[in-house]
Amino acid sequence: MSDFPIEAGDEVVSTKYWHKLDDGRVQCDVCPRECKLHEGQRGLCFVRGRKNDEVVSTTYGRSSGFVIDPIEKKPLNHFLPGTSVFSFGTAGCNLSCKFCQNWDMSKSREMDTLADAASPEAIAQAAHANGCRSVAFTYNDPVIFMEYAVDVAKACRARDIRTVAVTAGYISPGAREEFFSHMDAANVDLKAFTDDFYHKICGGRLQPVLDTLKYLKHETDVWFELTTLLIPGENDSEREIDEMTRWVVENLGPDVPMHFTAFHPDWKMLDHPPTPQETLVKAREIALRNGVHYAFTGNVHDKAGQSTWCPKCKGLLIERDWYQLGEWHLDAEGHCAHCGEAVAGVFEEAPGHWGPRRQVVRMKK
Ligand code: SF4
Ligand SMILES: [Zn+2]
């Protein structure tokens, strides 16, 4: 629980995933943290808390800024490749990962970080005006600002703009169902494959994340890909990658793409070295050996490891170098142009041409 109380003047909106406990506290039911709150107290995520006997959100309509990114940066390699995605986040997070790469936002205790106020309609309009095919809720976990994310998603879908959640999947079943019903795609962090790692390094548990992944695969049409940031000595053993990738194939099937990305020392993990490229290459090899059809390395230059290859004929389908696309060998239906094999993903006749650019967008007040 956070020590910073909700002040009388703080702007808040009501939420619905919570219930009263017999001891007078109120429990937030959005995520497996299950924060039990006294009046005025904030939850661990800092942005939800109890005010006037209900759980409220304090970040509705407030963003940490807007950026247009390549969709490959989320990372999503099989969702409208080459297109641009209008990206934003808010503040706070419901995990406390020591290696967080966005800690300035996710650990923010300063609402001043939330520079840009924007209505859902204004965001959908801005995405449309900038030619973005999708809007991404990213930088911090949208689970904790789900009311805002859901309203933005509704405004986007009304304009045929898709929605992307970049999340750790640490969300409880009721909230999960509503949240993902408004998403077209997701990148879910599978941070490690041991409960010990989740417990010691992220302050969470592994099983709820696995439950979310099974839910996404078997109960929704959301296109999703997985990302694991490999941290030397913590979650990068061949045994752990072997167990993780076997689990993925057995429980989610071979078509969920997996990204193994490089760690750079950050936040509270300055004592760990960056991930050697060989570790990423090895992880990708293990995934492929265990039957994952699409496995990628990330945060390094590695054309072979970042391109999409046909799982059947092994031909090159989409050439990639970091966020830059090259050759394209899918037909109009998203099949391999060499052998006709259907390729899992959301593809159109041709790739987008956004390239690796990053463009900051200022919203008009
Ligand atoms: S979203 Fe999770 S961390 Fe935030 S208040 Fe609710 S239960 Fe606690
Ligand atoms: Zn093929």
Side-chain angles (χ1 to χ4, degrees):
M1 249 52 59
S2 163
D3 297 331
F4 293 74
I6 294 185
E7 310 284 351
D10 286 345
E11 270 180 51
V12 301
V13 300
S14 296
T15 70
K16 63 181 178 192
Y17 296 103
W18 56 270
H19 69 278
K20 286 192 172 150
L21 298 170
D22 291 342
D23 64 6
R25 291 181 300 171
V26 161
Q27 178 176 317
C28 174
D29 296 323
V30 165
C31 92
R33 293 276 191 186
E34 299 183 342
C35 296
K36 296 168 182 64
L37 305 167
H38 294 289
E39 183 62 22
Q41 215 174 12
R42 291 174 187 266
L44 193 125
C45 60
F46 188 70
V47 296
R48 305 176 84 85
R50 174 171 168 179
K51 187 177 180 186
N52 298 337
D53 282 339
E54 60 168 355
V55 176
V56 295
S57 160
T58 62
T59 47
Y60 190 100
R62 306 173 72 192
S63 152
S64 52
F66 298 89
V67 174
I68 303 175
D69 276 331
I71 190 75
E72 285 75 15
K73 193 174 177 181
K74 299 303 106 184
L76 286 174
N77 278 357
H78 284 205
F79 184 77
L80 304 174
T83 62
S84 58
V85 52
F86 197 84
S87 305
F88 75 98
T90 62
C93 195
N94 56 339
L95 289 173
S96 43
C97 305
K98 291 180 180 161
F99 53 86
C100 184
Q101 316 256 313
N102 288 318
W103 59 269
D104 47 339
M105 285 182 238
S106 62
K107 292 291 147 227
S108 175
R109 294 288 182 270
E110 291 287 336
M111 286 302 164
D112 293 350
T113 318
L114 302 181
D116 278 357
S119 69
E121 186 53 30
I123 292 173
Q125 263 180 26
H128 181 73
N130 282 284
C132 298
R133 299 296 309 283
S134 58
V135 165
F137 312 102
T138 178
Y139 308 126
N140 67 333
D141 205 305
V143 160
I144 60 165
F145 64 94
M146 65 173 287
E147 293 76 14
Y148 187 31
V150 163
D151 285 353
V152 173
K154 286 179 184 164
C156 287
R157 282 183 163 177
R159 291 173 177 268
D160 200 25
I161 292 170
R162 316 279 177 96
T163 52
V164 176
V166 180
T167 174
Y170 207 56
I171 184 168
S172 298
R176 175 166 74 199
E177 199 174 324
E178 180 182 354
F179 178 74
F180 284 112
S181 72
H182 295 278
M183 298 298 143
D184 295 302
N187 186 291
V188 185
D189 262 349
L190 180 52
K191 293 175 186 284
F193 205 61
T194 61
D195 202 50
D196 198 46
F197 180 100
Y198 268 88
H199 182 67
K200 275 207 234 141
I201 299 189
C202 306
R205 287 176 289 133
L206 171 63
Q207 191 58 47
V209 180
L210 301 182
D211 292 344
T212 295
L213 296 178
K214 285 199 265 187
Y215 172 79
L216 282 173
K217 182 66 191 178
H218 301 293
E219 316 279 337
T220 75
D221 293 325
V222 176
W223 173 258
F224 69 103
E225 305 186 12
L226 304 177
T227 297
T228 305
L229 185 76
L230 293 179
I231 303 172
E234 300 290 352
N235 62 354
D236 65 340
S237 75
E238 291 187 19
R239 183 174 167 190
E240 186 166 342
I241 307 294
D242 183 60
E243 286 173 1
M244 175 192 282
T245 53
R246 280 175 198 275
W247 184 91
V248 167
V249 172
E250 273 167 31
N251 292 274
L252 312 177
D255 284 333
V256 176
M258 296 189 74
H259 301 254
F260 299 102
T261 60
F263 161 81
H264 298 289
D266 215 334
W267 186 225
K268 292 181 182 166
M269 272 213 170
L270 295 166
D271 54 339
H272 286 59
T275 316
Q277 185 146 343
E278 309 85 79
T279 305
L280 306 175
V281 171
K282 185 78 201 167
R284 177 172 177 268
E285 279 170 13
I286 294 169
L288 294 172
R289 191 181 70 212
N290 284 339
V292 173
H293 281 169
Y294 313 102
F296 304 101
T297 60
N299 288 353
V300 289
H301 282 289
D302 172 20
K303 240 189 225 184
Q306 288 170 350
S307 298
T308 297
W309 304 87
C310 176
K312 190 170 171 203
C313 75
K314 313 296 178 202
L316 177 63
L317 298 176
I318 306 170
E319 187 181 41
R320 261 182 229 96
D321 187 4
W322 216 301
Y323 309 133
Q324 183 72 52
L325 297 191
E327 290 183 42
W328 178 268
H329 298 292
L330 292 178
D331 68 14
E333 278 78 48
H335 293 193
C336 170
H338 313 291
C339 76
E341 176 78 351
V343 180
V346 178
F347 301 109
E348 293 181 334
E349 230 167 291
H353 297 288
W354 177 255
R357 276 177 296 158
R358 175 180 195 272
Q359 183 184 314
V360 173
V361 177
R362 303 301 304 180
M363 299 292 270
K364 289 195 197 90
K365 300 274 175 199

